[in-house]
Amino acid sequence: MGKMILIEFRKMRHYPLIWGILLFALGESVYYAYDRSLDDFFLYNPGLEYIILLCRTARSSVILTTLTAAYVSSEDFSMRTVQNVFAVGVDRGRYFFARLSSLVLFTVALTGARYFVYIAARILFNGKAETVLSAGEFLAAFAVMTLQLAACAAVIGVVSMLFKSQAAAVMTGEIWLFLSLALRLYMGIDLSSENPTASFGPLAYEPMTVLERAAADFLVPGRIYSLDFLRCGMAALLLIFVSAAAGYGYLRRAEIQ
């Protein structure tokens, strides 16, 4: 399995789209690191300075994750090279989980690289490091927030393999993004207010909603280790496992042509 994951990463190195996504994501991190629009906000909420990146870039992050998952997961199917892989005796289950694992790991690694660049740029910009948020709290918040993008990658990746179409996967991601926004508007949820008046319901655990509401609801002193925030992480893990089970079950039985 490990060798197959490494092979998937080697294949990614040859995709121009992946390099474009990487450069855009890191450039966006630098942009927000030097953006002064939240200076007053950080003055009164210093603990949010280093962890707020995914909240501010939730929509672009989901879009980039969708493009990555759609392109990487369906490449072998759209190019009709997957038959050659199975013809030489590669197990379908190992193939599926290697692709899915490499996609999730890439998403986590990209998010980690974005935060590294963002924090380094903030330190250079301010001339000092902010230590209000402890390392343990940062890592806990980073883990739960990154799981939201990993869940998006898993769902779109499986859709991409099931439909064998990059266009179908991208469309699924865009519809998902639209519904997340539309349902919030329909329910009267205002994420910009400190205390949204409407109940989130199940929408509270939708990945992009979690990312966008985290700054107000979870990334505050005493809430990072809360049960509510933990549930958001567990919901993302459940979404990953359900997607993996559905994709694996389909691929084991599907006729690949």
Side-chain angles (χ1 to χ4, degrees), residues 16 20-21 24 29 64 68 90 102 107 123 149 162 193 202 208-209 241:
I21 288 172
F24 180 88
S29 298
L64 292 178
T68 301
V90 174
S102 63
T107 302
I123 292 174
L149 292 179
L162 294 185
S193 64
M208 196 177 76
T209 301
F241 290 145

Side-chain angles (χ1 to χ4, degrees), residues 70-111:
Y71 187 83
V72 171
S73 298
S74 65
E75 181 68 8
D76 284 350
F77 294 94
S78 61
M79 298 298 293
R80 298 186 180 277
T81 56
V82 67
Q83 299 95 326
N84 300 331
V85 176
F86 295 151
V88 297
V90 174
D91 180 73
R92 292 192 179 196
R94 292 183 62 196
Y95 171 83
F96 172 80
F97 285 112
R99 291 186 73 80
L100 189 62
S101 297
S102 63
L103 182 59
V104 170
L105 289 173
F106 176 81
T107 302
V108 174
L110 178 59
T111 306

Side-chain angles (χ1 to χ4, degrees), residues 2-256:
K3 291 183 178 179
M4 294 185 68
I5 292 176
L6 289 176
I7 290 173
E8 294 300 326
F9 278 122
R10 292 193 189 101
K11 290 163 66 175
M12 288 185 196
R13 291 189 307 177
H14 299 286
Y15 298 154
L17 178 65
I18 297 300
W19 287 104
I21 288 172
L22 176 62
L23 291 175
F24 180 88
L26 296 183
E28 187 179 42
S29 298
V30 173
Y31 170 80
Y32 280 110
Y34 288 97
D35 180 16
R36 306 200 60 167
S37 62
L38 288 183
D39 282 357
D40 291 338
F41 176 78
F42 291 145
L43 184 63
Y44 293 100
N45 302 275
L48 294 180
E49 182 174 351
Y50 290 162
I51 197 61
I52 203 172
L53 178 64
L54 278 187
C55 300
R56 301 187 71 189
T57 64
R59 298 178 191 185
S60 63
S61 296
V62 170
I63 292 172
L64 292 178
T65 300
T66 295
L67 291 175
T68 301
Y71 187 83
V72 171
S73 298
S74 65
E75 181 68 8
D76 284 350
F77 294 94
S78 61
M79 298 298 293
R80 298 186 180 277
T81 56
V82 67
Q83 299 95 326
N84 300 331
V85 176
F86 295 151
V88 297
V90 174
D91 180 73
R92 292 192 179 196
R94 292 183 62 196
Y95 171 83
F96 172 80
F97 285 112
R99 291 186 73 80
L100 189 62
S101 297
S102 63
L103 182 59
V104 170
L105 289 173
F106 176 81
T107 302
V108 174
L110 178 59
T111 306
R114 293 183 70 181
Y115 266 107
F116 178 82
V117 170
Y118 171 77
I119 293 173
R122 288 295 301 175
I123 292 174
L124 290 173
F125 177 68
N126 293 324
K128 63 177 182 178
E130 181 57 69
T131 58
V132 172
L133 189 68
S134 68
E137 288 177 316
F138 176 85
L139 291 175
F142 173 82
V144 174
M145 304 267 289
T146 304
L147 276 174
Q148 309 309 313
L149 292 179
C152 291
V155 172
I156 300 302
V158 169
V159 169
S160 184
M161 283 187 271
L162 294 185
F163 287 95
K164 306 176 182 65
S165 167
Q166 295 167 355
V170 171
M171 184 63 67
T172 299
E174 296 305 315
I175 292 174
W176 184 354
L177 182 67
F178 171 78
L179 288 177
S180 175
L181 299 173
L183 286 174
R184 282 188 233 153
L185 291 174
Y186 177 77
M187 295 170 65
I189 296 173
D190 181 11
L191 295 177
S192 63
S193 64
E194 292 185 2
N195 297 298
T197 56
S199 172
F200 282 94
L203 189 61
Y205 303 104
E206 188 273 322
M208 196 177 76
T209 301
V210 172
L211 292 176
E212 292 199 315
R213 77 187 186 99
D217 291 351
F218 302 120
L219 304 182
V220 292
R223 295 298 307 277
I224 291 179
Y225 294 131
S226 68
L227 183 59
D228 286 343
F229 199 35
L230 177 62
R231 286 196 187 110
C232 292
M234 296 299 293
L237 281 174
L238 180 61
L239 196 55
I240 294 172
F241 290 145
V242 170
S243 301
Y248 173 73
Y250 174 83
L251 190 63
R252 293 287 294 184
R253 296 172 175 79
E255 293 185 8
I256 307 299

